[in-house]
Structures are given as structure tokens and as C-alpha cells.
Amino acid sequence: MSEMYAWLQESIKEYYQFVRVLKRQEGKEVLLYQHKETRIPVVIKKMKGIYPVYERLTGIKSQYFATVLENACDGKESLIIEEYVDGISVADILESKVFTKDSMCRIGIQICDGLYALHRCGIIHRDIKPENIMLQSDGAVKIIDFDAARIYKGYEQRDTIMLGTIGYAAPEQYGEAQSDERTDIYALGILMNVMLTGKHPVNETVNGKIGEVIGKCIRVEPKKRYQSVLEIREELKKMVY
């Protein structure tokens, strides 16, 4: 066991108190803890495997995605302390209603800001979907869950590990090519369509200008999509401001 991993384990025992299990599946536990003195909640993840993206994210702060506070790996298992985001997911809202065009655009703009911050760090999220977009009480948006994320490597031709959610994952995530910014753009397009219609674009598409934006996001060939989330951000801004 690495010294950092052992230190982090002991720090959790000393400074944090277990609250409840958020998610448990094979090879992964997501737990809610709170600091014993400040009572500030945090998410602690215990996952089999090595996740270099969490090491890069440690200490990087953005108002648009959950902050990774600490990260350690013993070569077989990763231990992560992450900011707890209090709010409701887009998936939870979609269980009872779809979004208006105005509200979707305002949320989409913030997702673009978060993705741009990640992309500037060389990180591709690879799992943008309703469950991973949190809406806070003040309307602020935060992207969560970097388990499928990867660090972009310009010299590689394709991803070494194929991860993502069926229906939202871009074609290149299935071994066709390497994921890059346009991979997240594809998923964002699917997400925007689902937010407006409650359905995947193969079942129902949006009309008008927003439909054109979504259509360009989800082109099969990455070179035919928007090349940066900033382009999408500008299109969405025109519709609400």
C-alpha cells in the first residue's frame, strides 16, 4: 500500500464521519461522509483500478463541476474525496416533466462552461447524461462523476478502454477513434434533445434552430460536429439573451 493511500485512509477515519451509502456496485462504492468539526459533507469513492484523471483534477476548481479534494491509489484501488453537490439531477426532473427551451438553453450554457474548463485541462468527460448534471437551488449547474473520463493523448489513435453510456456515447467511444472534445459535444447534443422531448433523437427530434444545433452536435463523423463547446455556447446564448 502506498504511503499516500494509507495517509488518506487514516485521514478519513480521523476527520470524517460516515453518513450513508450513495451507490454500491461491483468494484465501486460511493459514500457520503461529513467533516466531524465543520459538518461539511463530502463524497468518498472507493474504486478498483487506477484513475489518472482524478489525479489531474485534484485541486482544480470550477463552479461548473465537482471539485476533487484528495486522490490516492495503491496500484489496485483508488480512493477519492470529492465535493458533495447538493441538488437535483436532470434525470430526476425528467421523471416528471421536460424542460422549456429557455431553461434548457440556460442549463446548456453552463454545461458548456464546465466542459470547456475540463477540455482546457486535457480532460474528456465521456459520460455526459442526465444523471451527471446536477442543478442546485440557485440555478447553478455542476457536472459530476468523472469515472469514465480520460486524459486526451494526441498520439493515440483510439481509446484503450471503451466506457460511456449507451445512447449518449459517441461512435468513436466504441473503438472507432480516440475520444476528444467532440465526443462530449455528441453527448451534449443527445442530452439537450432528451431535455426538450424526453426522448432520444432516434425517436423524436426538436424542430427549429435548436434542432439544427442538436443535429450538428450528433453528427456521426466528429469533423462534421461543432469543434468546440464555445461554439454551442454562443448558439444557445443567442436564443435566450
Side-chain angles (χ1 to χ4, degrees), residues 14-17 34-41:
E14 183 175 354
Y15 297 109
Y16 293 94
Q17 179 179 357
Q34 66 179 9
H35 195 279
K36 291 178 180 177
E37 292 185 5
T38 65
R39 318 307 288 178
I40 293 174

Side-chain angles (χ1 to χ4, degrees), residues 180-199:
D180 60 21
E181 292 97 327
R182 298 167 299 183
T183 302
D184 286 339
I185 286 170
Y186 180 96
L188 176 58
I190 301 291
L191 173 66
M192 291 192 293
N193 195 90
V194 171
M195 288 176 70
L196 291 171
T197 67
K199 297 177 182 178

Side-chain angles (χ1 to χ4, degrees), residues 90-103:
V90 166
D92 289 333
I93 293 173
L94 284 170
E95 287 183 5
S96 58
K97 64 179 181 179
V98 295
F99 291 78
T100 65
K101 187 179 80 169
D102 186 79
S103 62

Side-chain angles (χ1 to χ4, degrees), residues 129-220:
K129 60 183 180 180
E131 290 81 359
N132 289 339
I133 306 299
M134 297 296 294
L135 309 180
Q136 298 174 281
S137 58
D138 61 356
V141 172
K142 285 216 178 194
I143 299 168
I144 62 169
D145 196 347
F146 306 103
D147 297 354
R150 71 183 298 273
I151 297 170
Y152 177 76
K153 298 169 184 174
Y155 56 84
E156 290 189 351
Q157 290 187 314
R158 57 180 55 86
D159 294 355
T160 52
I161 299 175
M162 289 174 272
L163 290 172
T165 299
I166 293 172
Y168 291 85
E172 60 269 22
Q173 287 178 256
Y174 297 98
E176 298 298 320
Q178 184 184 189
S179 301
D180 60 21
E181 292 97 327
R182 298 167 299 183
T183 302
D184 286 339
I185 286 170
Y186 180 96
L188 176 58
I190 301 291
L191 173 66
M192 291 192 293
N193 195 90
V194 171
M195 288 176 70
L196 291 171
T197 67
K199 297 177 182 178
H200 192 279
V202 298
N203 297 316
E204 184 177 337
T205 55
V206 181
N207 296 321
K209 179 60 180 175
I210 188 62
E212 293 174 13
V213 172
I214 290 169
K216 188 170 180 179
C217 288
I218 61 175
R219 297 279 176 85
V220 172

